[in-house]
Tab-separated table of all heavy atoms in Angstrom:
chain	number	residue	atom	x	y	z
A	162	ASP	N	1.994	2.689	-6.546
A	162	ASP	CA	2.621	4.061	-6.536
A	162	ASP	C	2.106	4.877	-5.358
A	162	ASP	O	0.961	4.704	-4.916
A	162	ASP	CB	2.423	4.798	-7.844
A	162	ASP	CG	3.163	4.220	-9.001
A	162	ASP	OD1	4.229	3.584	-8.755
A	162	ASP	OD2	2.734	4.402	-10.168
A	163	ILE	N	2.934	5.790	-4.868
A	163	ILE	CA	2.554	6.668	-3.899
A	163	ILE	C	2.066	7.953	-4.560
A	163	ILE	O	2.894	8.657	-5.184
A	163	ILE	CB	3.689	6.936	-2.817
A	163	ILE	CG1	4.045	5.700	-2.013
A	163	ILE	CG2	3.252	8.066	-1.874
A	163	ILE	CD1	5.014	4.802	-2.718
A	164	GLU	N	0.874	8.252	-4.515
A	164	GLU	CA	0.226	9.334	-5.273
A	164	GLU	C	0.732	10.715	-4.604
A	164	GLU	O	0.818	10.824	-3.397
A	164	GLU	CB	-1.262	9.257	-5.190
A	164	GLU	CG	-1.889	8.033	-5.814
A	164	GLU	CD	-1.577	7.855	-7.318
A	164	GLU	OE1	-1.493	8.855	-8.005
A	164	GLU	OE2	-1.357	6.714	-7.760
A	165	ASP	N	0.866	11.735	-5.454
A	165	ASP	CA	1.151	13.077	-4.971
A	165	ASP	C	0.217	13.587	-3.941
A	165	ASP	O	0.558	14.279	-3.019
A	165	ASP	CB	1.266	14.017	-6.138
A	165	ASP	CG	2.423	13.766	-7.087
A	165	ASP	OD1	3.313	13.010	-6.702
A	165	ASP	OD2	2.364	14.269	-8.247
A	166	ALA	N	-1.121	13.154	-4.070
A	166	ALA	CA	-2.126	13.628	-3.173
A	166	ALA	C	-1.828	13.229	-1.704
A	166	ALA	O	-2.294	13.808	-0.745
A	166	ALA	CB	-3.491	13.047	-3.624
A	167	CYS	N	-1.077	12.080	-1.513
A	167	CYS	CA	-0.713	11.710	-0.134
A	167	CYS	C	-0.004	12.821	0.625
A	167	CYS	O	-0.106	12.958	1.820
A	167	CYS	CB	0.169	10.454	-0.138
A	167	CYS	SG	-0.681	8.930	-0.546
A	168	PHE	N	0.710	13.684	-0.113
A	168	PHE	CA	1.599	14.687	0.490
A	168	PHE	C	0.846	16.059	0.523
A	168	PHE	O	1.457	17.066	0.838
A	168	PHE	CB	2.864	14.841	-0.287
A	168	PHE	CG	3.728	13.617	-0.168
A	168	PHE	CD1	3.638	12.564	-1.128
A	168	PHE	CD2	4.671	13.504	0.784
A	168	PHE	CE1	4.492	11.444	-1.043
A	168	PHE	CE2	5.520	12.415	0.966
A	168	PHE	CZ	5.353	11.443	0.014
A	169	ALA	N	-0.465	16.064	0.266
A	169	ALA	CA	-1.189	17.391	0.213
A	169	ALA	C	-0.998	18.174	1.477
A	169	ALA	O	-0.822	19.393	1.459
A	169	ALA	CB	-2.675	17.128	-0.077
A	170	GLU	N	-1.039	17.541	2.637
A	170	GLU	CA	-0.942	18.239	3.927
A	170	GLU	C	0.452	18.506	4.319
A	170	GLU	O	0.705	19.514	5.036
A	170	GLU	CB	-1.617	17.420	5.011
A	170	GLU	CG	-1.861	18.220	6.296
A	170	GLU	CD	-2.666	17.414	7.302
A	170	GLU	OE1	-3.205	16.355	6.981
A	170	GLU	OE2	-2.828	17.883	8.402
A	171	LEU	N	1.420	17.729	3.850
A	171	LEU	CA	2.857	17.871	4.187
A	171	LEU	C	3.717	17.872	2.991
A	171	LEU	O	4.553	16.971	2.808
A	171	LEU	CB	3.256	16.827	5.230
A	171	LEU	CG	2.494	16.855	6.522
A	171	LEU	CD1	2.779	15.610	7.352
A	171	LEU	CD2	2.931	18.055	7.363
A	172	PRO	N	3.527	18.807	2.073
A	172	PRO	CA	4.302	18.728	0.773
A	172	PRO	C	5.781	18.881	0.929
A	172	PRO	O	6.554	18.423	-0.010
A	172	PRO	CB	3.688	19.906	-0.020
A	172	PRO	CG	3.180	20.877	1.006
A	172	PRO	CD	2.686	20.048	2.135
A	173	GLN	N	6.214	19.418	2.039
A	173	GLN	CA	7.740	19.582	2.260
A	173	GLN	C	8.483	18.259	2.286
A	173	GLN	O	9.627	18.205	2.154
A	173	GLN	CB	7.970	20.405	3.532
A	173	GLN	CG	7.566	19.743	4.799
A	173	GLN	CD	6.185	20.013	5.263
A	173	GLN	OE1	5.248	20.210	4.471
A	173	GLN	NE2	5.928	20.034	6.590
A	174	TYR	N	7.781	17.110	2.520
A	174	TYR	CA	8.447	15.832	2.546
A	174	TYR	C	8.475	15.046	1.254
A	174	TYR	O	9.135	14.016	1.156
A	174	TYR	CB	7.803	14.992	3.637
A	174	TYR	CG	7.829	15.590	5.028
A	174	TYR	CD1	6.728	15.713	5.806
A	174	TYR	CD2	9.038	16.090	5.520
A	174	TYR	CE1	6.745	16.300	7.039
A	174	TYR	CE2	9.087	16.704	6.795
A	174	TYR	CZ	7.919	16.804	7.521
A	174	TYR	OH	7.931	17.342	8.750
A	175	GLN	N	7.759	15.512	0.257
A	175	GLN	CA	7.576	14.734	-0.948
A	175	GLN	C	8.893	14.619	-1.703
A	175	GLN	O	9.186	13.444	-2.137
A	175	GLN	CB	6.537	15.420	-1.858
A	175	GLN	CG	6.257	14.529	-3.033
A	175	GLN	CD	5.091	15.091	-3.885
A	175	GLN	OE1	4.510	16.118	-3.619
A	175	GLN	NE2	4.763	14.398	-4.909
A	176	GLU	N	9.631	15.586	-1.927
A	176	GLU	CA	10.874	15.487	-2.694
A	176	GLU	C	11.904	14.469	-2.010
A	176	GLU	O	12.372	13.657	-2.700
A	176	GLU	CB	11.601	16.835	-2.854
A	176	GLU	CG	12.806	16.722	-3.659
A	176	GLU	CD	13.598	18.066	-3.870
A	176	GLU	OE1	13.044	19.087	-3.582
A	176	GLU	OE2	14.819	17.990	-4.147
Side-chain angles (χ1 to χ4, degrees):
D162 289 335
I163 295 86
E164 302 295 327
D165 291 344
C167 285
F168 293 92
E170 192 173 354
L171 297 168
Q173 67 269 31
Y174 300 129
Q175 185 172 3
E176 181 184 343

